[in-house]
Amino acid sequence: MGLPVHVVYGYKSKYLQLKKKLEDEFPGCLDICGEGTPQATGFFEVMVAGKLVHSKKRGDGYVDTESKFLKLVAAIKAALARA
């Protein structure tokens, strides 16, 4: 079992896009799961090993730029180093 990455999302397509990018970046190292909200909520919250590392609700928006993606990559690398 890989490092747990949990995403709470409103738009499944945004989640699936991020999931694929993370799986490509860390093949076989992550256990990525998503939790869709029942209605439009504006959520896009990413937790790595139980720690919130990206939050649309807190102003991070979607993971739609390279810098936002690299912030997640850095958080995952740090969590993998601790595991």
Side-chain angles (χ1 to χ4, degrees):
M1 187 166 173
L3 181 74
V5 176
H6 184 77
V7 182
V8 178
Y9 61 87
Y11 291 104
K12 189 171 187 175
S13 61
K14 300 272 190 194
Y15 160 68
L16 292 174
Q17 184 179 35
L18 177 62
K19 183 177 187 223
K20 179 170 182 0
K21 278 189 81 169
L22 289 175
E23 287 172 339
D24 289 348
E25 186 78 23
F26 298 97
C29 296
L30 306 177
D31 179 21
I32 304 172
C33 67
E35 176 186 344
T37 57
Q39 67 269 351
T41 57
F43 280 22
F44 201 81
E45 316 301 292
V46 182
M47 285 147 285
V48 175
K51 181 181 176 191
L52 184 65
V53 296
H54 182 94
S55 173
K56 184 172 179 282
K57 284 290 194 183
R58 290 191 191 163
D60 292 334
Y62 292 109
V63 182
D64 54 3
T65 65
E66 191 65 14
S67 63
K68 291 176 186 179
F69 180 70
L70 291 176
K71 179 182 162 192
L72 285 181
V73 167
I76 290 168
K77 284 181 178 177
L80 287 170
R82 288 190 302 268

